[in-house]
Every structure is written in C-alpha cells, then in structure tokens.
Amino acid sequence: MAVDLEIVCVGNELLIGKIKDTNAHYLAKQATRLGANVKRVTVIQDTLEEIASTIYEAIARKPQFIVTTGGLGPTFDDKTLQGIAKALNLKLEVNPKALAMVKQKCVEYAKKRHLPTEIELTPPRVKMATLPEKTEPINNPIGTAPGVRVDVQGTVLFALPGVPVEMEAIFNETIVPLVKHAVGSSVFCERSIFADNIMESRLAPLIDKVMSDNEGVYVKSHPKRTENKPHVELHLTIIACQEQMPAEKLVKVAKQLAVLIKANGGLVTVELEE
Amino acid sequence: MAVDLEIVCVGNELLIGKIKDTNAHYLAKQATRLGANVKRVTVIQDTLEEIASTIYEAIARKPQFIVTTGGLGPTFDDKTLQGIAKALNLKLEVNPKALAMVKQKCVEYAKKRHLPTEIELTPPRVKMATLPEKTEPINNPIGTAPGVRVDVQGTVLFALPGVPVEMEAIFNETIVPLVKHAVGSSVFCERSIFADNIMESRLAPLIDKVMSDNEGVYVKSHPKRTENKPHVELHLTIIACQEQMPAEKLVKVAKQLAVLIKANGGLVTVELEE
C-alpha cells in the first residue's frame, strides 16, 4: 500500500521570491527514495488562517505523513503551531518538556560564548515551547526551537523548523525511521534513457504502449532544449516491493522502449547499468 | 486593493525530487515585484483528480490570477487541460486557433531542419490543441504547446508550459501587462538591515514594536547560521501605492529598528540607500 506524504512550507519569504525554497525539494527527494508517495507540496503565507486551513485540508486528504517547515521560531510571525492548534481545535499550552529543551539550548549557547548561564525565560523563548495540547516536542539537535509531532486521525504530522540544517537534522533523526517502517519493503527505482532525432509528439504513443504493457512503471518525457534538435530524456520510475525486483523490471522496460524508439527512427542512449 | 495570485505546478517529476522546480520561484518573484500578493504555491502530481481538485479549490479562494505550469505537452501524462475542464465542468474540444498554432510550429520546425513541411496532425499534436470550451489559446513563442487563458468567476487562469523558457516567454508577453494593469499604482518595496551580537528571541519584541507602529510594513527575521555568533537579517517589505512613498517609509522604519537594536546591545549594518 502506498504511503502518502504531504509537505507544507510556511513563510512569506518563499512567496515573495526572497528565498529560493530548498526544503521542499530535499524532503520530496528523500521521502521518495524511502519509498513514500509524495502527493503534494503547498507553500503558504505566515497567516494563521492560511496555516490553519491548509493543515485542515491536508489532514482531510488522509496522508500517512504531513511535514511542515518554518514558523517555529520566536518572532510574532512564527505561527505554525498556532495554525495547527486552530486547525485541530486544540489549546496551546506551555509544554514542560519543550521548555526544558529551549532552556538547555540557551544554556549551551551561553556557555559557548562564556556568558552567564542564568537563563531568563523571556516571552519569545516561552513561545517556542508553547505547543498544541497532546503533542510531543522533538529535540532540535542544532537550533533552539523544538520540532513537534502531532498524531491525528491516522496521520502523523511533523512541524519542523525552516532553517535547512535544523529541518534536515530532525528529519533524519526522527522521521526517516518512521517512514521506513511504514513503507516496509517498498522501494523507489528510477532509470533514464535519452532519445535523439525524434520529436516528443512521436514518442508519446510509444510511451503509452510501454506503460500499458507494464503496470506500475511510470515513464515521463523531459524534452531538453537544444539547438533545433529534439533531445528527450525518458525517465522511468516505479515504487514496488523489493520482492517484485523493480530495478530489474525497469531495465527490461527501458530496453523495450529503446527498441520502439529505434524502430521509429530515433537514436537512443541508455544509461549504464548500475 | 491587493491583487492575489496563486501558482499551481503540475508534475510528478517535481514531487519525486527529479527536477528542482524553478518556475514557482520565478513566477512568485516576478509577480511580487509587479505588486501582486502571491498567496500560495501548490505542487501536485499529474493525475486528473489532483489537478481538478486543486484548480477547483484555488478558484474557490477567488484570487484575481491563477498561473499553472506544466502538463500541456503531447504525452498521455500531460493532463492539465483535462483537469481544468473537469474542475470547471467544461467540455474539451479541438480549438481551431490552437490547432493552427501547433501546425505552424511544426512547419517552422520542419523548415529549420530541411524536412518536408507537409505536417501530419497526429493525435499527440491534436491533443496539444484540445482545450476546454470557451477558453483562449495563447501563442507560445518558443515551444509547440500553446498556453491557455480561462476566465472564470472573476479569476483569470493561465495554463503555461512547464519548460522554463516557454513559461517565462508567455508570462512576460501575456501575463505581465495584465497583472500590471490590475495592481495599478501599487508597488512592492524591500530593504534589509543586519543585526549582530543579539539573539533572534531578543529581536522579537523589537520587531513587534516596529510593526505595530508602522502599519503595512512587514518585518521578517532570517537567522543566518554562523560560528556561534547570532547574525540575523531583518527583511522589511511593503506593498503600497506609489503615492504613499513606500520606499521612503521603509528607510524610516529601518532606521527606527536599527536604533532599537543598538539600544539593546546589538550591532547593526544597514544596506546602503539606493
């Protein structure tokens, strides 16, 4: 059974083109390679209404996992947890475990800089430890704001920080093992062949044939712009149980496609077998 | 009045991490700089259901503009127009204007390569000219598949190709003038100052004060990772009518913020005035 995963990136900076988001690509690529089916990425503004409605709608689609990035920091526009609370009709409360994590990070920081380690729990620091009730803080091995795990209606939602190194650290420590467990023996495989001297519109029926002959294999054509010469990458992918030998299946399908392309006047370059 | 714009990117290749999407960032940045309010980016798979439900929901949020990228090509998995038709309950039909555009592109292509210019309108070629009824094809100055304009319930939806150069060409030729007209004299301005030696959690109340004192100005803190030293970019933005002198307003607000940061022990670097 497919393990669906959705990604929600929160932050005005992503929508005004200030920051080129790299988190969604990282998460999508890693999750796919773990065998998950990444269904959707949604990038939204830092408003309570946008966050709440997006989370509400994502949960209604019943993916096994939702990963949000951004909006966990100390400033007023870090509203992801408020948005989650609103979407799920949960109260916000200071989480003692999260507060201890934030305090510990501030102490470590002060020590490193030889500053006094009597940490004042200012409102912005307490804010980072204010979580929706019934949720779990996750240790942030790099930054101050903890991640948060929310279990709701069969979906596990993880709220991660927007700073890429922090997001990646929590993803790898906490989420990867869970996704691996959920996908079981499913794996993702991919393989490309390159077609020259044949237009995409002539490749279309050949791709259709190969896909209808080989259930589960997805073939996507990527025309590459070159000087008036058609050059098309054909990217073959499959998510299937290891026992079904998906890598071997892709080799076979790639060969079938190559034969068809050559029979239609195209030239084919096949990736070397790994 | 704010001119809202949503972006929808269609393509499995974006969700499996095969392609790092650049279209959303390009469109978001350009549209923001024209004075539009980019509300959301949604990245979805190439299935009819995903496309139709995403378009349906986007239209229900009533943005002035929706721009989709991808899924206009000749292969079976190019389903954006089918998805739009399903979302809006429109029939698909061969559009004579679009068919002429596709034919013309094929003739040009054949001429360049010194091939016979008797163009056969194969099903994949006809597919690129099969549009939802009551919609308008848009000339693609670079590739074969025309763009499409759909007017629905006060929203103008543009379906653009996924190949970046084609998407950008149609965006600049056709969409930029319309967005400019819609935003009128509104402009987007931005300005950054950099705070050192002060943690983000101490900056938080200073940012709050400056924002509550200056309506319409948005201040976002971007902590930058450096060797144990806090270094935070404070990015000030505003969308306002030219007559309200938004650029001058940002200079004033940046100065106010710098004074507050210094009073709290921080160091400030201010961007040079342009």
Side-chain angles (χ1 to χ4, degrees), chain A residues 18 41 43 46 220 230 233, chain B residues 18 41 43 46 109 220 233:
Chain A
K18 160 80 177 156
V41 173
V43 187
D46 301 303
K220 182 101 186 179
E233 176 177 0
Chain B
K18 160 80 177 157
V41 174
V43 187
D46 301 303
Y109 173 83
K220 181 100 188 182
E233 175 176 1

Side-chain angles (χ1 to χ4, degrees), chain A:
Chain A
M1 205 193 69
V3 171
D4 291 346
L5 183 147
E6 289 204 20
I7 299 164
V8 177
C9 303
V10 182
N12 285 16
E13 68 276 17
L14 306 170
L15 290 167
I16 62 173
K18 160 80 177 156
I19 302 277
K20 203 177 253 182
D21 177 51
T22 56
N23 287 339
H25 179 75
Y26 176 88
L27 288 170
K29 188 165 187 169
Q30 301 305 317
T32 300
R33 269 134 200 85
L34 294 171
N37 177 30
V38 179
K39 287 279 283 186
R40 186 182 288 232
V41 173
T42 313
V43 187
I44 48 169
Q45 295 182 339
D46 301 303
T47 68
L48 197 54
E49 291 67 31
E50 282 290 302
I51 300 168
S53 66
T54 303
I55 295 294
Y56 185 87
E57 289 160 16
I59 288 169
R61 288 185 292 266
K62 300 190 177 300
Q64 278 89 328
F65 296 102
I66 299 171
V67 182
T68 74
T69 67
L72 301 186
T75 62
F76 98 98
D77 58 350
D78 288 308
K79 289 179 186 154
T80 300
L81 298 179
Q82 288 162 263
I84 292 170
K86 189 179 158 110
L88 303 177
N89 204 16
L90 297 173
K91 286 199 192 83
L92 285 162
E93 59 189 20
V94 177
N95 181 299
K97 226 165 119 183
L99 197 64
M101 287 174 181
V102 170
K103 198 169 176 180
Q104 177 61 24
K105 290 289 170 182
C106 293
V107 170
E108 284 170 19
Y109 174 83
K111 275 187 184 162
K112 272 188 193 159
R113 305 206 70 207
H114 310 290
L115 295 168
T117 56
E118 291 297 308
I119 296 302
E120 189 192 347
L121 285 169
T122 57
R125 285 175 180 152
V126 173
K127 181 195 165 300
M128 290 189 274
T130 304
L131 273 47
E133 58 180 344
K134 304 176 200 160
T135 61
E136 268 296 302
I138 307 170
N139 179 53
N140 180 340
I142 294 178
T144 308
V148 178
R149 172 181 172 149
V150 186
D151 287 81
V152 53
Q153 298 166 20
T155 294
V156 188
L157 181 154
F158 291 99
L160 305 189
V163 178
V165 284
E166 300 181 22
M167 180 281 291
E168 290 171 19
I170 302 181
F171 177 75
N172 285 303
E173 260 187 34
T174 307
I175 305 180
V176 166
L178 269 177
V179 174
K180 268 190 183 164
H181 180 77
V183 298
S185 73
S186 279
V187 290
F188 168 84
C189 297
E190 59 184 330
R191 192 168 187 80
S192 283
I193 67 174
F194 297 86
D196 288 283
N197 208 34
I198 178 166
M199 280 189 83
E200 201 190 5
S201 52
R202 286 196 62 196
L203 287 169
L206 313 182
I207 295 171
D208 285 2
K209 172 161 177 48
V210 164
M211 281 185 63
S212 70
D213 285 357
N214 298 279
E215 212 198 309
V217 176
Y218 196 86
V219 183
K220 182 101 186 179
S221 58
H222 298 284
K224 311 279 177 184
R225 191 140 289 284
T226 53
E227 266 308 310
N228 297 324
K229 285 185 186 170
H231 176 66
V232 181
E233 176 177 0
L234 295 153
H235 185 241
L236 289 73
T237 54
I238 187 170
I239 295 180
C241 292
Q242 194 71 68
E243 300 81 52
Q244 295 172 354
M245 312 230 287
E248 291 74 7
K249 188 166 183 179
L250 283 194
V251 171
K252 196 197 88 187
V253 177
K255 280 182 186 160
Q256 183 195 348
L257 186 56
V259 168
L260 283 172
I261 294 169
K262 285 177 196 162
N264 281 270
L267 301 171
V268 178
T269 324
V270 180
E271 263 190 349
L272 287 177
E273 286 183 36
E274 278 147 30

Side-chain angles (χ1 to χ4, degrees), chain B residues 6 11 20 23 77 101 128 149 190 222 244-246:
Chain B
E6 290 203 21
K20 204 176 252 179
N23 287 339
D77 59 350
M101 288 175 181
M128 291 188 274
R149 172 181 171 148
E190 60 184 330
H222 298 284
Q244 295 172 355
M245 312 231 287

Side-chain angles (χ1 to χ4, degrees), chain B residues 15-235:
Chain B
L15 291 168
I16 63 172
K18 160 80 177 157
I19 302 278
K20 204 176 252 179
D21 176 52
T22 55
N23 287 339
H25 178 75
Y26 176 88
L27 288 170
K29 188 165 187 166
Q30 301 305 318
T32 300
R33 270 135 199 85
L34 294 172
N37 177 31
V38 180
K39 288 279 283 185
R40 186 182 288 233
V41 174
T42 313
V43 187
I44 49 169
Q45 297 183 338
D46 301 303
T47 68
L48 196 55
E49 292 67 31
E50 281 292 301
I51 300 167
S53 66
T54 303
I55 295 295
Y56 185 87
E57 289 160 16
I59 287 168
R61 288 187 290 266
K62 300 191 177 298
Q64 278 89 328
F65 296 101
I66 298 172
V67 182
T68 74
T69 66
L72 302 186
T75 61
F76 98 99
D77 59 350
D78 288 308
K79 290 179 184 152
T80 299
L81 297 179
Q82 288 162 263
I84 292 170
K86 187 178 159 107
L88 303 177
N89 204 16
L90 297 173
K91 286 199 193 82
L92 285 162
E93 58 188 20
V94 177
N95 181 297
K97 226 165 120 182
L99 196 64
M101 288 175 181
V102 170
K103 198 168 177 179
Q104 176 61 25
K105 289 289 168 179
C106 294
V107 169
E108 284 170 19
Y109 173 83
K111 275 187 185 161
K112 272 189 191 160
R113 305 206 67 209
H114 309 290
L115 295 170
T117 55
E118 291 298 307
I119 296 302
E120 187 193 349
L121 285 170
T122 57
R125 286 175 177 151
V126 174
K127 180 195 165 301
M128 291 188 274
T130 304
L131 273 46
E133 57 180 344
K134 303 175 203 160
T135 61
E136 266 297 301
I138 307 169
N139 180 51
N140 180 340
I142 295 180
T144 311
V148 178
R149 172 181 171 148
V150 186
D151 288 79
V152 53
Q153 298 166 20
T155 295
V156 188
L157 182 154
F158 291 99
L160 306 188
V163 178
V165 284
E166 299 180 24
M167 181 281 291
E168 291 171 19
I170 301 182
F171 177 75
N172 286 303
E173 259 187 37
T174 307
I175 305 181
V176 167
L178 269 178
V179 174
K180 270 189 180 162
H181 180 77
V183 299
S185 73
S186 280
V187 289
F188 168 84
C189 297
E190 60 184 330
R191 192 166 187 81
S192 284
I193 68 173
F194 297 86
D196 288 284
N197 210 32
I198 179 166
M199 280 188 84
E200 200 190 5
S201 53
R202 286 194 63 195
L203 288 169
L206 314 181
I207 295 172
D208 285 1
K209 174 162 175 48
V210 163
M211 281 185 62
S212 69
D213 286 358
N214 297 281
E215 213 199 309
V217 177
Y218 195 87
V219 183
K220 181 100 188 182
S221 58
H222 298 284
K224 311 279 177 185
R225 192 140 288 282
T226 52
E227 265 309 307
N228 298 323
K229 284 186 186 171
H231 177 65
V232 181
E233 175 176 1
L234 295 153
H235 185 242

